[in-house]
Every structure is written in C-alpha cells, then in structure tokens.
Amino acid sequence: MIDPILLFFVFPLVTIIFAIALERIFNNPFLVSAIIFGIFLILAFTVFTEDFLIAAIAYGILAFLTALIFSTIQNILDRLNNNTGNNTGNNNSGNNNNGNNNDFPNTCACKTCCCQRQYLRCLRGR
C-alpha cells in the first residue's frame, strides 16, 4: 500500500515542479507529459504495484496541464514584454551596423518574422 501523503501531496507537487522545469527547457507540453508519464510508468513496474498505473496516468495528465498553463502564461508575458519594448525608441535608423537589422546582437533572433524572440519561442514561424 502506498502512503496517501506520498500519493496525494508529494508526487503531484514534484510533478508540477518538474513539468515547469521541463517546459522551460523543451517548450513542448506533449514532450513534458510524455517524459513524466514515462518516469512514473517505470516507477509503477519497478517500485510500486500495478495499481500505481492509474496514478501514473493522472500524473501524466497533471504534467500536461501544468506545462500547457505555464506555456500559455509565458507566451502572454512574452507578448506583453514585446509590446512594451517597442515603445522605448529602439530603432536602428541612426546606428551603423553594416546592414545588420538586429536590435540585440547577442540574441539569436527569428529570421522569418524579424522579431527578437528565439527560434523556438516565435509564434509566427511555426
């Protein structure tokens, strides 16, 4: 028998924390939920009994929802930061940058829509 504190408090909390961390790394909610479901599936067959499979499915769904919510909040914040950043007067009209149209030379800017987001974070380049 699995301890209820472990089942209802510790594992969901760890799932939420790892889902946010993996979403930050991979930026793909499906991949995050698949990784976490795989980890709990391995735990179900090695450490716990087969009754833990239902909990593993629930934790996979929880990881997907957490990653999806975190991704949505991150996209909203990126859009808000992008909109407020356009009003600061950062234009390249007076700069001599040898034809380089990059406002932030240390970032890997998107080439499809000329936004300053990285390739994986651009919403228009998909």
Side-chain angles (χ1 to χ4, degrees), residues 5-21 36 40 59 62 66:
I5 293 175
L6 190 68
L7 190 65
F8 294 117
F9 181 71
V10 174
F11 282 154
L13 189 64
V14 168
T15 301
I16 290 170
I17 291 170
F18 278 121
I20 290 172
I36 290 178
F40 280 115
Y59 297 144
L62 178 66
T66 302

Side-chain angles (χ1 to χ4, degrees), residues 21-32 71 74-75 120-122 126:
L22 289 174
E23 175 62 29
R24 207 59 190 151
I25 293 170
F26 294 122
N27 199 22
N28 188 347
F30 294 109
L31 183 62
V32 169
S71 175
Q74 190 174 9
N75 285 338
L120 297 175
R121 303 246 184 238
C122 180
R126 291 183 184 176

Side-chain angles (χ1 to χ4, degrees), residues 91-102:
N91 57 6
N92 281 339
S93 59
N95 295 343
N96 290 330
N97 56 4
N98 298 329
N100 188 2
N101 196 16
N102 192 359

Side-chain angles (χ1 to χ4, degrees), residues 62-74:
L62 178 66
F64 176 72
L65 292 176
T66 302
L68 193 64
I69 290 169
F70 183 76
S71 175
T72 304
I73 290 171
Q74 190 174 9

Side-chain angles (χ1 to χ4, degrees), residues 94-123:
N95 295 343
N96 290 330
N97 56 4
N98 298 329
N100 188 2
N101 196 16
N102 192 359
D103 290 337
F104 306 105
N106 294 332
T107 61
C108 185
C110 178
K111 303 255 189 294
T112 57
C113 65
C114 296
C115 68
Q116 292 301 320
R117 296 187 189 137
Q118 294 178 348
Y119 291 115
L120 297 175
R121 303 246 184 238
C122 180
L123 299 176

